Amino acid sequence: MVASTPTGSSPAAAPAATCDTGGDRPALRITCLRDGQRAGERLEAIAARTESGRLREEEARVAAILVEVRQRGDAALLDFSERFDGLRPDPLRVPPERLAQAWHDCPDPLRRALDLAHDRILDFHRRQMPADLAVTGPHGERLGRRWRPVQRAGIYVPGGRASYPSTVLMNAIPAQVAGVERLVMVTPPGPGGEPNATVLAAAHRAGVEEVYRVGGAQAIAALAYGTETVPAVDVISGPGNLYVTLAKKAVYGKVGIDSLAGPSEVLVIADHSARPAQVAADLMAQAEHDPLAAAILITTSEELAAAVPAAIEAQLERHPRAAITLQALNDWGLIVVCDDLAEAAALSDRFAPEHLELLVDDPESLADRITHAGAIFLGPWSPEAVGDYLAGPNHTLPTSGTARFAGALSVETFLRHTSLIHFNRTALEATGPAVVTLAESEGLHSHAESVRQRLGTQHS
């Protein structure tokens, strides 16, 4: 799950066929395709939906913000907060007692839900911890790989259209399991100058004690470079809008980052066994995130394809985020009818979805056919929402086709590994001549000489 992204880019060329259910509100016009080639092209257009001719202009704006924060520190943070959020958060740091108060003020059901989510996420991520590696070679040499946490990590928790206490848990818990010494959280202030109370409560539950009221590209700059108040960190994680993403891209190399998150997306593969109302709810669960969210159904059932738009319309009635949901579905929604599940799997892999739901008779067999997906949800009892909140695996997932080469945020995001090499005399005598040969093949005289010096075969 990722946070909202500005809607500066325009939709790709409109498809010829749509499913129009009419109604008093603007019509639902979700694209319906039955041609595999056109479906593949449309999926590629959806994956590229954040690309825009204005991107360079936005990158320049972000670069200017980074320079200001790097040069002026806290003063720049306050100026940008006043400019973008309409207030000057002074002090920048949220008092620790405010975090404890937010937890205390949480309604009991919400506190229990946060407890359950925390414990499940913690248990799963503890199982991810990689073990150090120690190997003894054929000549007695000792080789290894040692894992150690970064010292300082920063997590970005977005505000905007919704609050994201789940983002707090999904980022803070892996960092703490990794053993990060200092964990810093930044999040935009709300209209009253305070961050969302549930976000603060989640921070307290996760053991985050250092929270700063700053958001946007300026918050990323503060974490990367440090200011008088906000410490510089080694790794930045957490989703955000376009400006946050561009800022993370710009500071990568100065610090590590988890990923460059785009707007959220779900792809549902369904057969005749799927229920239209459930499919509609699952598509809308992504569409309600943001006008750029993508919601895709690939099905072998003509009946399901025909029934889902009406089910969406029914659930849009009195929906609190109907306008956002409808815009996302009209711009980036898609229904594809396939001949078989093999074709559905191939189209899914072409898109490489962030979230993939398999609402089919035999989801395990179909999952075996899938190569590219951030997370796979198998069967009718595994809605994507359980992954967003408390299943256990991380909800920060690759988007916009990056599941072809990337995976979820994990404990390893906050770890670094160091190689250990301990040769003895026997090992160097046995392998040194090959090292010399390879070094000489590369024209690196002193590489070869460093071995000869030890073996007594150096040039006179």
Side-chain angles (χ1 to χ4, degrees), residues 216-256:
Q218 61 270 25
I220 301 301
L223 292 174
Y225 305 124
T227 70
E228 298 91 330
T229 301
V230 182
V233 300
D234 302 308
V235 169
I236 300 173
S237 72
N241 64 19
L242 176 63
Y243 301 96
V244 169
T245 301
L246 291 177
K248 288 170 68 177
K249 181 180 179 181
V251 301
Y252 176 66
K254 171 66 176 176
V255 296

Side-chain angles (χ1 to χ4, degrees), residues 130-134 144-149 415-420:
D132 290 349
L133 178 66
R145 186 167 71 167
R146 184 182 68 191
W147 292 90
R148 294 294 183 269
L415 294 170
R416 52 197 165 77
H417 57 80
T418 300
S419 297
L420 303 173

Side-chain angles (χ1 to χ4, degrees), residues 285-323:
Q286 291 307 305
E288 71 177 351
H289 269 298
D290 181 270
L292 276 176
I296 299 157
L297 168 64
I298 301 179
T299 181
T300 55
S301 169
E302 286 279 3
E303 293 77 12
L304 184 68
V308 164
I312 290 173
E313 277 283 4
Q315 292 180 37
L316 279 171
E317 292 293 334
R318 296 178 297 278
H319 194 295
R321 298 169 70 84

